[in-house]
Amino acid sequence: MGMLDGKVVLVTGGSRGQGRAHALTSAREGADIVIVDVAENLPTVTYPMARTDDMTATVEAVEALGRRIVAMEADVRDQAQLDAAVARGIADLGQIDVLIANAGIWTQAPFYELTDDQWEEMIDVNLSGVWRSAKAVAPHMIERNSGSIVMISSVNGLEPGPNFAHYTAAKHGVVGLMKTVALELAPHGIRCNSIHPGAVRSGMTENQMAFDMYAGGPGGTIDDLIKAGKHYGALKGSTFMAPETIANAALFLNSELASSITGITLPVEAGHLLMAGVNVSPVD
C-alpha cells in the first residue's frame, strides 16, 4: 500500500529538479500526477530553464511507474492557464487531492541594483504564482472538503540572503500566504504547509551563476558548489541535497501521517538554521 494510493497530485514546475522529484515520489506512493511547467526561459532568468523535453522525460518516468499523468505547459503568472490545468486534471483523472506549489526562479543582484523587471518577475513567479496555484485548486478542494497544499518556500523564507532580496522577500511572503491559506481552509478539512529547502542540487543551482557565487568570482565549477555545500549544514556529511530529500518531506505532509498538521513551516536543510554563522567578509 502506498502513502498516496488513490490520490491525484498536481505539481507546478514539474518538469525537472525538485518538481520531477515530487512527481516521481508521489507516483511511487500510488498517486496519479498532473504537472505544469512554463517550459521556456523567462526574460530575467540567466540560467537555462526547463524545456518540453524535460517535461516529456518526467511523463515517461511517471508512466514507467504504472501511474497516469497529465502534463500541460502553463505559466504560474497566468491564472487562466492554471485554471485550465486544474480542469484538465479533474476531467482526466477525476480529482485533485494535493497541490505542491513548487515552481520558482532565482536570480542575483544587490537590492539597490535590481531592476523593476527583475523584482516584478521574481515576485510574480515565486509568490504570486504560489497564490494563483492555490487559488486554482481551492474551489475543487472546498467542494470535496478535503485536500493538502504544500508550498515550497526556502530557508530564505526564514532568514535573509545577500544579493537576492527579491527572492528572499518572495519566499518570506510564501510563509504569510501559507498561514492564511491554512487558516481559511481549515474549516473545509484542507491542510496547508510550507517546506523550506536548504541547499539542493537542481537546475536552479547547477549553473554558472551559482558556481560563480559559491566560488567567490567568475570561473566557478560544480566542485565549488559541492565544497560550499559542506559548510552549509550542521549534520555530518551534509552538502547539497538531492531533490528527493525535499520530495520525501512533501510526501509526509501530504500523507495521512500528517493528517493533523497544518500551518507549519518545515525546514529541510541539514541543520543549517541551527548555526549562528560567521561574517565571511568583515569590514573594519
Side-chain angles (χ1 to χ4, degrees), residues 64-268:
L65 294 170
R67 307 312 308 172
R68 297 179 295 169
I69 180 169
V70 171
M72 290 184 63
E73 292 189 10
D75 190 334
V76 295
R77 298 173 299 173
D78 189 315
Q79 189 68 57
Q81 292 184 27
L82 287 170
D83 291 344
V86 169
R88 168 82 179 279
I90 294 169
D92 288 5
L93 302 177
Q95 74 262 359
I96 302 290
D97 299 282
V98 171
L99 166 66
I100 303 175
N102 164 79
I105 59 174
W106 179 49
T107 57
Q108 292 186 67
F111 79 90
Y112 49 87
E113 294 180 3
L114 288 168
T115 66
D116 283 355
D117 287 344
Q118 287 174 309
W119 179 273
E120 291 165 5
E121 189 160 82
M122 181 66 68
I123 299 300
D124 208 11
V125 174
N126 285 18
L127 177 56
S128 299
V130 176
W131 164 66
R132 292 187 193 96
S133 300
K135 185 180 176 184
V137 300
H140 174 67
M141 289 184 175
I142 289 170
E143 183 179 0
R144 300 179 69 235
N145 279 298
S146 178
S148 175
I149 297 172
V150 169
M151 298 178 174
I152 306 301
S153 179
S154 168
V155 290
N156 294 117
L158 302 171
E159 68 172 7
N163 297 319
F164 40 89
H166 52 339
Y167 180 86
T168 301
K171 294 300 189 178
H172 272 71
V174 169
V175 175
L177 173 65
M178 177 275 292
K179 289 180 178 293
T180 302
V181 170
L183 184 63
E184 292 185 7
L185 294 184
H188 302 283
I190 302 162
R191 299 181 297 109
C192 183
N193 298 286
S194 59
I195 295 176
H196 298 260
V200 180
R201 295 187 66 164
S202 71
M204 185 181 288
T205 56
E206 293 188 337
N207 59 74
Q208 197 60 50
M209 180 187 76
F211 297 161
D212 291 348
M213 184 187 82
Y214 289 111
T221 68
I222 185 68
D223 291 336
D224 294 304
L225 184 85
I226 300 303
K227 181 179 179 181
K230 293 180 183 297
H231 297 275
Y232 192 82
L235 282 174
K236 179 181 178 180
S238 61
T239 182
F240 273 71
M241 299 176 291
E244 289 75 18
T245 307
I246 312 305
N248 287 335
L251 173 64
F252 164 70
L253 288 175
N254 290 325
S255 75
E256 287 302 309
L257 294 175
S259 60
S260 294
I261 297 176
T262 194
I264 71 160
T265 56
L266 176 59
V268 183

